[in-house]
Amino acid sequence: MLYESLREKTPVGCQAVNGAKAVERVLEVDQTPIGKTPRSCPATYVGFWDAIRRLFADTTEARMRGWSASRFSFNTRGGRCDECEGQGMKKIAMSFLPT
């Protein structure tokens, strides 16, 4: 497995991997939706995105702007793409046949 190889040797395409011995465990989480909305995925349920949002909220610029972790949510305006509303794609109904 790739993750085990990080401890043993350098993966293909890398010049070096520093700090791999400090990694205690790696979780691979599928992004397949598990609820009614495509934004509900295993990563959400295990808290993966919470940690990422906290990292973004801890940046100097986020603190200067007064942004909390919720600002970086896929479910809130400003935190998600306003064009696709956090869905990852935009569906457009097209009718080619006359009615």
Side-chain angles (χ1 to χ4, degrees):
M1 183 175 216
L2 172 65
Y3 308 120
E4 290 301 319
S5 69
L6 288 177
R7 295 177 191 268
E8 298 165 10
K9 62 181 182 175
T10 304
V12 176
C14 295
Q15 291 180 359
V17 177
N18 298 323
K21 293 184 186 213
V23 176
E24 293 180 16
R25 77 181 201 180
V26 175
L27 301 175
E28 182 177 351
V29 180
D30 185 310
Q31 285 294 93
T32 305
I34 58 176
K36 293 182 180 182
T37 173
R39 293 186 300 266
S40 65
C41 64
T44 303
Y45 286 103
V46 299
F48 176 80
W49 292 119
D50 295 338
I52 299 296
R53 284 191 285 272
R54 281 192 301 273
L55 285 173
F56 280 118
D58 273 347
T59 64
T60 303
E61 186 164 349
R63 285 183 298 202
M64 286 176 17
R65 293 174 184 254
W67 292 345
S68 67
S70 64
R71 171 67 166 80
F72 300 97
S73 172
F74 297 123
N75 298 316
T76 60
R77 174 168 279 165
R80 65 178 177 213
C81 170
D82 289 333
E83 193 65 29
C84 72
E85 296 180 332
Q87 299 293 327
M89 65 182 80
K90 191 172 180 179
K91 290 186 181 181
I92 301 171
M94 298 173 62
S95 297
F96 294 108
L97 299 174
T99 56

